[in-house]
Amino acid sequence: MLVKWIRCTVVDRRGFERGQRKWAGLLGEPGFRGQGGGWSRGRPNVAHIFAFWESRAFYDSFMARSHDRLAAAQSGTYRDMQVRLFEHRFDVKVGFQPRFTDADVVRVAHCRVHPDRVEHFTLVQEKVWNPAMAGSPGMVRGVFGEAPGSEFLVLSMWNSAAEHGKYRVERVERLALRAQTEADVAAIAGDVVGVESSWTV
């Protein structure tokens, strides 16, 4: 599965949201699995969208055919768009489904890892972070993806911001020490995204 992460700064909120609903046109596209997103909880007017495709081939075919027609509805409503693609490596909690209907917030963490630490980073993600997140009340599902150049995406969906906040306060610092995160990670950026149900496809 391919995970697409889009982040942009919105300059015309109403126009952007109207355009966002036009992405319902993705339904029926071969290989399309689901899309959702919302507004950053910490940065005003920053929007995040997450899309899921069965494979890179299906995604490339869509980009060549239908993408520009659907995207036209949002032209001029945003700036500074950044798009990244990640290959699914494993689920955080089992049985990942690209659904947003039962999630209130999405936590996105984007990690650049030292090349010689990739193996260790992946291992601790599986053995330390995943079980801790999966065992946290309120954590619905998640996905761990990798891009060329030792880049990783950890996406977790939560049924409430309060539950995610509790996990962060109670466990993250302790887990980071155990996982030797500082030794693995060259840079990390993240955000908490409030899910907008009207953006879900």
Side-chain angles (χ1 to χ4, degrees), residues 2-21:
L2 186 75
V3 185
K4 181 180 188 177
W5 171 35
I6 304 158
R7 182 180 60 198
C8 61
T9 303
V10 174
V11 292
D12 169 7
R13 208 166 163 123
R14 189 175 289 164
F16 183 85
E17 292 208 299
R18 204 168 41 238
Q20 198 55 43
R21 289 193 280 277

Side-chain angles (χ1 to χ4, degrees), residues 4-191:
K4 181 180 188 177
W5 171 35
I6 304 158
R7 182 180 60 198
C8 61
T9 303
V10 174
V11 292
D12 169 7
R13 208 166 163 123
R14 189 175 289 164
F16 183 85
E17 292 208 299
R18 204 168 41 238
Q20 198 55 43
R21 289 193 280 277
K22 298 266 198 258
W23 289 98
L26 284 164
L27 290 170
E29 281 288 338
F32 173 70
R33 300 277 309 277
Q35 179 169 289
W39 298 104
S40 163
R41 289 278 172 102
R43 299 181 179 100
N45 299 319
V46 169
H48 294 266
I49 293 125
F50 308 99
F52 301 86
W53 293 82
E54 248 163 70
S55 70
R56 181 67 193 248
F58 279 123
Y59 170 74
D60 286 344
S61 166
F62 159 73
M63 289 301 288
R65 288 177 301 101
S66 318
H67 173 270
D68 291 359
R69 179 174 47 81
L70 290 171
Q74 280 176 311
S75 177
T77 64
Y78 60 83
R79 59 182 172 78
D80 304 334
M81 178 172 279
Q82 292 172 27
V83 178
R84 286 198 160 80
L85 300 173
F86 297 85
E87 284 292 342
H88 170 274
R89 283 287 302 272
F90 46 77
D91 296 348
V92 179
K93 216 169 184 171
V94 292
F96 179 80
Q97 292 289 322
R99 288 187 296 117
F100 291 81
T101 46
D102 52 357
D104 181 47
V105 296
V106 175
R107 162 72 180 157
V108 55
H110 176 224
C111 307
R112 290 182 193 281
V113 176
H114 297 296
D116 60 330
R117 301 286 295 189
V118 164
E119 209 172 303
H120 180 263
F121 176 79
T122 307
L123 186 70
V124 295
Q125 186 63 44
E126 214 167 350
K127 303 283 187 239
V128 178
W129 291 104
N130 276 14
M133 269 199 272
S136 296
M139 194 279 190
V140 185
R141 67 181 72 82
V143 66
F144 178 77
E146 182 175 6
S150 315
E151 264 189 71
F152 294 87
L153 181 77
V154 186
L155 203 62
S156 56
M157 300 182 182
W158 299 76
N159 64 17
S160 77
E163 288 295 349
H164 174 258
K166 262 190 272 185
Y167 163 76
R168 213 174 56 215
V169 169
E170 291 167 14
R171 312 191 69 172
V172 167
E173 209 169 293
R174 197 172 72 245
L175 289 166
L177 285 171
R178 199 171 130 213
Q180 301 175 347
T181 303
E182 277 193 13
D184 289 351
V185 175
I188 184 164
D191 211 345

